[in-house]
Amino acid sequence: MSSTLSFAGENNKWTTADDVRNAAEAIRNTEILQCLQLEANTLGVEAAEVMGEALAAHPEFERAHWKDLFTGRLKTEIPDALRHLFSGLMRAGAKLKELDLSDNALGPIGVEGMVEFMSSPVCYSLEELRLNNNGLGIKGGTMLAESLMKLVANANSAGTPLKLKVFISGRNRLEKEGAKEFAEFFKAVGTLEEVAMPQNGIFHEGIAALAEAFSMNPNLRIINLNDNTFTPKGARAMAEKLPSMQNLEIINFGDCLIKTTGAKFIGSALLSDHQKLRELYLDSNEIGIEGGLAIADAMINKKNLKTLNLDGNQFGEEGRENLVYILQEIGCLDALATLENDESPDSDEDDDDSEESGDDEEEEEEEEEDDEEDESDEEEDEEVHEVVESGVSPLKRTEMAVQPVKCTAAEFYEQPTVGRLLGLGNSGPSQLVEEARRMGGRSDEEFIFNCFGMFMRTASIAIASNNEIQEAVKNATEHIAKAVFAAAQNGDLSSVVTNNLLVHLGLIKCEDKKFILDWDLHGCLKMLTCLVTQPLFPSQTKSALQLFLSRPNSRIDACVQEKHKLMVALFQ
C-alpha cells in the first residue's frame, strides 16, 4: 500500500469546508500517510482548517509537498491557512522530514504563519527544507532564520539535534542581510549536504558570510549560488573557504560577476584537491582567458568531472583554443560544455575588485582597504624587471640552423645562445657548474644562487625544436640541478634552494634590488618539467612550486602550455 497521497496538478479550488470535504476524507482514511502532495491546487483558510483536522490523525506523517498551493489567494489568507495545516501536524505529533513550500507568494506576512511551527518538535527531525520563489525579502528571510535558530536550540535541548541536509531558498530577494542571517543558521546546523540560494541579490559581504558557514558543514556536496553578485571580493572569500569543503560534487557560481581575478582565486582553491567534483558552472562571469586557464588547470585531478560550463565569458578565439588544448591534455575535454556564447576579450574591462552598483558611499569607503589588499597580489609581478630581447623572435629562432660557437662558460653566462652551448663541447655542463662556483666564491648560498641563474639562462634556450639542442640543454640543466641539490644536502640548505628557485621564476621578490629576470620562461618551465619527476628533486621544493604556481602570475601564466605540463608533472 502506498504511503503517498497525491492531489498534485488537479487544479482544485478548495475554499470552503464543503470544497475540501472529499480530499480531507481521503487524508483521514489513508491508513499510513507519510507524504501528501498538494501541488498546483489553491487552498483557502476555511478549507485549510478542515484539512489540518484530517492531518491530525497521522503521527506517521513525514513529507509535506505543498508547493504552488495558494494561487489567487489574498496575502492575508496565507498565514492563517498555514497555521491550520501546521496545527494538525503538531497535534498529531508528526516527525517531519521534508517541507516544500516553493512557488507560494509567502512574503513576510506568510512567514508569520510559519515561525511557531518551524521551531516546534515536529521539525526536530527535518532533513529537507525547500522554500524556492517565495518572495521572502530581507524581513521575511530574517524572521524565518531566527525561527530556525530557535529550532536548533530547542532540538539540542531535547537531545535530538537537528540534522538538516537540504536547504533551498532561491529567488527570495534575501540580499546580503538575509544571507548573513541564514549563514548563522548554517553554522549552527553543520550537517548540510545541499544549499541552493540562486537569484537572491547577494553581494560579496553576504557571500563571505555564506562561505564561512559552508566551511563548517563538512558533508556539503552541492552549492548553487547562481546569479548573485560575488565580484572578485566574494570569489576570494569563497576560495579561502573551499579547501574545507572536500566533499563538493556540484558547484554553481554561474552569472555571479566573478571576473578574471575571481576565477583565478577559485582555480587556485580547487587545484590540489576536490577530487569528488562532478560539475562546475562558471558561465557568464566576464572571465578573461587567464581566469579560464586557471580553472582549466585546476581540473587536472578531477577524475569524476562530467560538466565544466565556462560559456558566456570573454576568452576569444585563441583563448578557446588554449582551453581546449589544456582540457584535452588532462582528459577533461568531454566535460567542457559549449562555448558558443563566448565573447571577445574586453580590452577596456576593469577587473579590479570594483564595488557593486547600488552600494552607497559609506560602503565604498569601508571597502577601500580590501581593494588595496586585492591589488597587492598583482604588484609583485610588476616589480620583477623584464628585459625584452631585440632581433629575431624566440619562435622564429627555432627554425634557424645552428653552428657551434667556441666560448668560455663566463661568455655563455653573459650571452647564452644555442651556438655557444654547443661550442662548450661535451664538458660544457661541468664548465657551467664551475663558473657558478667561481662567481660565488666559497659560499654555498652564493653558489646555489648563481647555479639557478646559470640554470635559467641555459634552460631559456630550450625553445628550439632541434633534438640535438634539446638534448644539450637537458643534459646541462640536469647537471646544474644535481650540483645545486648536492650542495643543499651537504649544507642543510634545502630552504635556500626553494627560495632561489622561486626568485628565479619571478614567483617571489629578490632581496637584491639589482636582480633582473631577463630570460625566457617557456624553456625554463619545460626543463623544470623534466626535473620535478626525478627522485633527486626535493619534496619541499615541489610542494612550494605547487603552491606558488597556483597563484596568478602574469609572466608564468603567459606560458600556457609549459605551465600546464609542469603542473601535470608536479601533481603526478
Side-chain angles (χ1 to χ4, degrees), residues 338-465:
T338 178
L339 295 175
E340 62 182 12
N341 294 313
D342 182 67
E343 301 175 1
S344 298
D346 184 357
S347 59
D348 297 326
E349 178 186 356
D350 180 7
D351 199 31
D352 291 335
D353 286 1
S354 58
E355 310 305 325
E356 295 83 353
S357 60
D359 281 359
D360 57 30
E361 294 180 3
E362 183 177 352
E363 273 191 283
E364 292 178 2
E365 291 175 2
E366 292 173 352
E367 292 166 349
E368 283 179 0
E369 184 176 345
D370 291 336
D371 285 336
E372 294 172 1
E373 292 176 0
D374 294 333
E375 289 168 3
S376 68
D377 292 332
E378 300 173 3
E379 291 176 357
E380 189 168 298
D381 290 347
E382 295 172 0
E383 295 190 15
V384 177
H385 300 285
E386 178 179 2
V387 175
V388 180
E389 296 181 3
S390 59
V392 184
S393 72
L395 292 178
K396 291 190 176 179
R397 285 201 299 269
T398 64
E399 302 170 1
M400 301 171 62
V402 179
Q403 297 296 326
V405 177
K406 289 186 178 182
C407 66
T408 64
E411 291 171 333
F412 173 82
Y413 182 88
E414 290 300 322
Q415 189 176 353
T417 66
V418 172
R420 288 189 171 193
L421 180 62
L422 296 178
L424 290 173
N426 294 333
S427 63
S430 298
Q431 294 180 51
L432 297 180
V433 171
E434 287 304 314
E435 177 60 19
R437 175 68 71 184
R438 184 194 66 77
M439 294 167 61
R442 296 182 178 180
S443 167
D444 283 336
E445 288 88 345
E446 289 185 34
F447 170 65
I448 290 172
F449 180 86
N450 291 322
C451 273
F452 274 114
M454 189 70 78
F455 178 96
M456 297 298 169
R457 286 170 170 79
T458 306
S460 68
I461 60 178
I463 55 177
S465 58

Side-chain angles (χ1 to χ4, degrees), residues 147-163:
S147 179
L148 291 171
M149 286 296 288
K150 290 181 181 178
L151 172 63
V152 173
N154 293 345
N156 285 338
S157 297
T160 56
L162 181 65
K163 296 181 180 179

Side-chain angles (χ1 to χ4, degrees), residues 473-492:
V473 173
K474 184 178 178 181
N475 288 339
T477 52
E478 283 187 0
H479 194 83
I480 296 169
K482 288 178 181 178
V484 168
F485 299 140
Q489 190 173 15
N490 293 335
D492 193 21

Side-chain angles (χ1 to χ4, degrees), residues 168-365:
I168 310 295
S169 184
R171 299 184 66 184
N172 272 311
R173 306 192 310 275
L174 298 175
E175 302 184 20
K176 66 181 180 183
E177 292 85 356
K180 288 181 178 180
E181 294 291 338
F182 280 111
E184 293 302 312
F185 168 61
F186 297 158
K187 285 193 281 189
V189 175
T191 58
L192 289 168
E193 296 181 11
E194 177 180 356
V195 176
M197 301 176 71
Q199 293 181 290
N200 269 299
I202 304 172
F203 293 118
H204 69 87
E205 290 178 340
I207 298 299
L210 290 174
E212 182 179 0
F214 293 163
S215 70
M216 299 173 70
N217 286 264
N219 296 325
L220 198 59
R221 298 184 299 105
I222 301 172
I223 299 177
N224 180 359
L225 294 177
N226 187 281
D227 199 8
N228 287 290
T229 309
F230 276 50
T231 73
K233 284 184 182 178
R236 182 176 190 171
M238 183 63 71
E240 289 174 352
K241 299 300 182 181
L242 280 174
S244 300
M245 307 176 222
Q246 291 301 320
N247 286 309
L248 283 176
E249 297 177 13
I250 300 174
I251 300 174
N252 189 339
F253 297 156
D255 198 12
C256 286
L257 202 64
I258 285 175
K259 308 190 95 172
T260 303
T261 301
K264 290 179 180 179
F265 289 136
I266 298 294
S268 176
L270 295 176
L271 180 62
S272 59
D273 295 303
H274 295 94
Q275 297 186 27
K276 295 181 180 181
L277 189 65
R278 294 189 289 110
E279 300 176 20
L280 176 61
Y281 300 87
L282 291 170
D283 51 298
S284 304
N285 269 303
E286 299 186 14
I287 300 173
I289 186 54
E290 289 187 6
L293 294 176
I295 297 298
D297 277 331
M299 299 301 103
I300 187 170
N301 56 354
K302 310 301 186 288
K303 297 179 181 179
N304 296 310
L305 190 69
K306 301 298 180 185
T307 300
L308 174 62
N309 191 339
L310 297 172
D311 197 19
N313 286 299
Q314 299 174 351
F315 303 141
E317 183 177 358
E318 183 178 352
R320 292 193 297 272
E321 291 176 357
N322 282 327
L323 277 176
V324 169
Y325 169 81
I326 288 179
L327 292 170
Q328 188 170 29
E329 283 287 298
I330 63 178
C332 291
L333 185 58
D334 289 343
L336 182 64
T338 178
L339 295 175
E340 62 182 12
N341 294 313
D342 182 67
E343 301 175 1
S344 298
D346 184 357
S347 59
D348 297 326
E349 178 186 356
D350 180 7
D351 199 31
D352 291 335
D353 286 1
S354 58
E355 310 305 325
E356 295 83 353
S357 60
D359 281 359
D360 57 30
E361 294 180 3
E362 183 177 352
E363 273 191 283
E364 292 178 2
E365 291 175 2

